[in-house]
């Protein structure tokens, strides 16, 4: 094998398993929470987050998700394949999307952008919050575009973010460690893909 081809072979040998991990689905009833492999739900290079699970919120509430901070109108993706079961709008959540992944798993994405482009007027409706063509009953793959980062609901006045929740059998679970792993895999895939393009 030539020296020119060797780096490319090495890169591709890493990219293939990373792609498999990034698209792994949440479908196994036996798979423990700590071994779930999710597609990271936003651009990994534009998103930052901290472990805010359980943090105090107004009205004596506790935070039952993780806020994924990113520029307004950045894309939001489904973490795994599933069926969209709800698209709606509430006082606290603002616009929201819920995807059922089977075997008791469900992901929720809150505060999508409802502003008209270039404004903060709240008059964009679902056209600016939800991906075109997405509706209740839509099938989505891991990585399917479902919405756009915003500040709807009680996020108004804060930095743009997606409040992300992961539920199992109707109960919210702490997704932080799972998101950290997914974020690291997504960043690595971006880096290796760039390297492959340079070597090619």
């Amino acid at each position: 094998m030539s020296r020119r081809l060797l780096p490319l072979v090495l890169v591709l040998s890493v990219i293939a398993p990373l792609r498999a991990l990034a698209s792994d689905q949440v479908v196994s009833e036996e798979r423990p929470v700590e071994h779930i492999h999710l597609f990271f739900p936003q651009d990994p290079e534009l998103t930052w987050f901290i472990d805010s699970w359980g943090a105090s919120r107004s009205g004596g509430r506790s935070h039952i998700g993780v806020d994924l901070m990113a520029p307004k109108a950045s894309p939001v993706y489904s973490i795994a394949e599933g069926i969209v079961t709800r698209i709606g709008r509430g006082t606290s959540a603002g616009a929201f999307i819920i995807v059922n992944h089977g075997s008791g798993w469900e992901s929720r994405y809150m505060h999508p952008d409802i502003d008209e482009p270039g404004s903060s007027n709240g008059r964009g409706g679902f056209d600016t919050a939800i991906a075109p063509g997405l509706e209740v009953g839509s099938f989505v793959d891991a990585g399917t575009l479902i919405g756009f980062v915003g500040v709807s609901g009680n996020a108004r006045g804060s930095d743009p973010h997606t409040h992300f929740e992961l539920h199992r059998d109707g109960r919210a679970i702490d997704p932080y460690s799972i998101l950290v792993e997914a974020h690291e895999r997504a960043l690595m895939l971006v880096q290796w893909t760039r390297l492959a393009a340079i070597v090619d």
Side-chain angles (χ1 to χ4, degrees), residues 16-176:
L18 283 174
R19 284 190 174 139
L21 282 174
S23 63
D24 199 5
Q25 302 161 5
V26 182
V27 293
S28 174
E29 192 69 43
E30 292 76 26
R31 177 177 290 171
V33 171
E34 61 270 19
H35 292 112
I36 294 173
H37 295 295
L38 306 180
F39 187 95
F40 191 70
Q42 293 180 182
D43 183 326
E45 296 186 297
L46 298 178
T47 303
W48 67 272
F49 58 102
I50 60 172
D51 188 359
S52 55
W53 173 269
S56 297
R57 291 295 187 261
S58 61
R61 298 176 297 120
S62 291
H63 198 231
I64 60 167
V66 170
D67 292 338
L68 303 173
M69 317 302 287
K72 191 174 181 183
S74 298
V76 177
Y77 308 105
S78 176
I79 59 163
E81 75 168 24
I83 302 294
V84 176
T85 54
R86 290 190 66 190
I87 295 175
R89 191 168 172 178
T91 303
S92 297
F96 63 87
I97 305 155
I98 299 177
V99 180
N100 186 313
H101 304 289
S103 298
W105 291 102
E106 181 181 86
S107 57
R108 301 181 181 185
Y109 313 78
M110 301 177 190
H111 309 317
D113 186 19
I114 60 168
D115 296 328
E116 290 179 323
S119 78
S120 57
N121 61 14
R123 291 194 288 238
F126 285 134
D127 289 342
T128 56
I130 309 301
L134 193 77
E135 58 188 25
V136 171
S138 292
F139 174 84
V140 293
D141 280 313
T144 296
L145 176 69
I146 58 173
F148 304 93
V149 175
V151 290
S152 59
N154 63 10
R156 182 69 65 187
S158 67
D159 291 332
H161 66 277
T162 298
H163 171 87
F164 174 80
E165 294 183 11
L166 187 61
H167 290 239
R168 179 76 188 270
D169 297 328
R171 180 178 62 88
I173 62 173
D174 184 353
Y176 179 72

